[in-house]
Amino acid sequence: MYTSFFTKFVALMAIASGVAGQGLPANCDRTMTVQAGNTCDDISAAYNVSTYQLASVNNATVDAGCDNLYVGEVLCLGITGQDCTTTHVIQSGDTCSSVSTAADISINLLLQNNPNVNTICTNLYPGEVLCTGNQTYVNVTYSK
Ligand SMILES: *[C@@H]1O[C@H](CO)[C@@H](O)[C@H](O)[C@H]1NC(C)=O
Ligand SMILES: *[C@@H]1O[C@H](CO)[C@@H](O)[C@H](O)[C@H]1NC(C)=O
Ligand SMILES: *[C@@H]1O[C@H](CO)[C@@H](O)[C@H](O)[C@H]1NC(C)=O
Ligand SMILES: *[C@@H]1O[C@H](CO)[C@@H](O)[C@H](O)[C@H]1NC(C)=O
């Protein structure tokens, strides 16, 4: 009786983890599979996901420097309801002002949705991907 229950329980857990898939976060609404040579920022640029969002959604598996990706790894790109898909890839010369003006959003919203950008916007770098969506996707505030 106990053995039978335990066996079924283990089988159910295996099915549940298979459905969740490789430790992806709950409510993941899009994914991609890492290819040889990918970096976090080129994945971000290719899939319209901000640098912050990609790092934050995968923070349980991808380290802060994004140097532990492996071929075949499945990354979650966004969480349902918090998935910003309108993005801008920073070019040399871009500023928070130019990016927010081009996207027709306020600088405050740009900073809110990209907590990795400091409040005086001096840490942008070419290839970084910012969320330029016109709603609040990120409600956390970090010290910048
Ligand atoms: C990313 O956004 C651009 C501009 O809106 C669009 O043309 C492109 O199809 C999008 N790519 C993906 C993978 O969603
Ligand atoms: C990942 O991010 C979530 C939400 O921001 C946070 O609660 C969690 O502590 C982070 N986990 C790690 C391993 O940093
Ligand atoms: C963003 O939302 C504001 C307020 O609702 C609106 O005035 C503005 O036109 C919107 N911009 C875009 C690009 O949709
Ligand atoms: C963030 O807060 C705003 C305002 O309270 C709310 O409308 C929005 O749904 C929240 N977004 C997320 C991702 O929690």
Side-chain angles (χ1 to χ4, degrees), residues 15-25 74:
I15 290 165
S17 61
V19 169
Q22 305 198 14
L24 291 177
V74 178

Side-chain angles (χ1 to χ4, degrees), residues 58-144:
N58 296 287
N59 71 351
T61 50
V62 176
D63 67 22
C66 191
D67 48 22
N68 65 339
L69 296 180
Y70 58 88
V71 172
E73 180 174 16
V74 178
L75 299 181
C76 179
L77 302 178
I79 303 295
T80 304
Q82 303 170 20
D83 186 4
C84 179
T85 58
T86 304
T87 54
H88 173 80
V89 181
I90 295 299
Q91 312 292 312
S92 166
D94 279 348
T95 63
C96 280
S97 174
S98 69
V99 171
S100 59
T101 299
D104 192 18
I105 59 172
S106 70
I107 291 182
N108 280 346
L109 183 60
L110 184 72
L111 293 173
Q112 176 69 43
N113 282 331
N114 299 279
N116 53 328
V117 176
N118 66 33
T119 49
I120 53 171
C121 199
T122 50
N123 62 342
L124 298 179
Y125 60 87
E128 181 178 14
V129 183
L130 298 190
C131 167
T132 53
N134 195 15
Q135 70 178 67
T136 301
Y137 292 96
V138 177
N139 282 333
V140 288
T141 29
Y142 291 91
S143 52
K144 302 195 181 200

Side-chain angles (χ1 to χ4, degrees), residues 30 45-48 85 87:
R30 49 189 181 123
Y47 291 90
N48 295 346
T85 58
T87 54

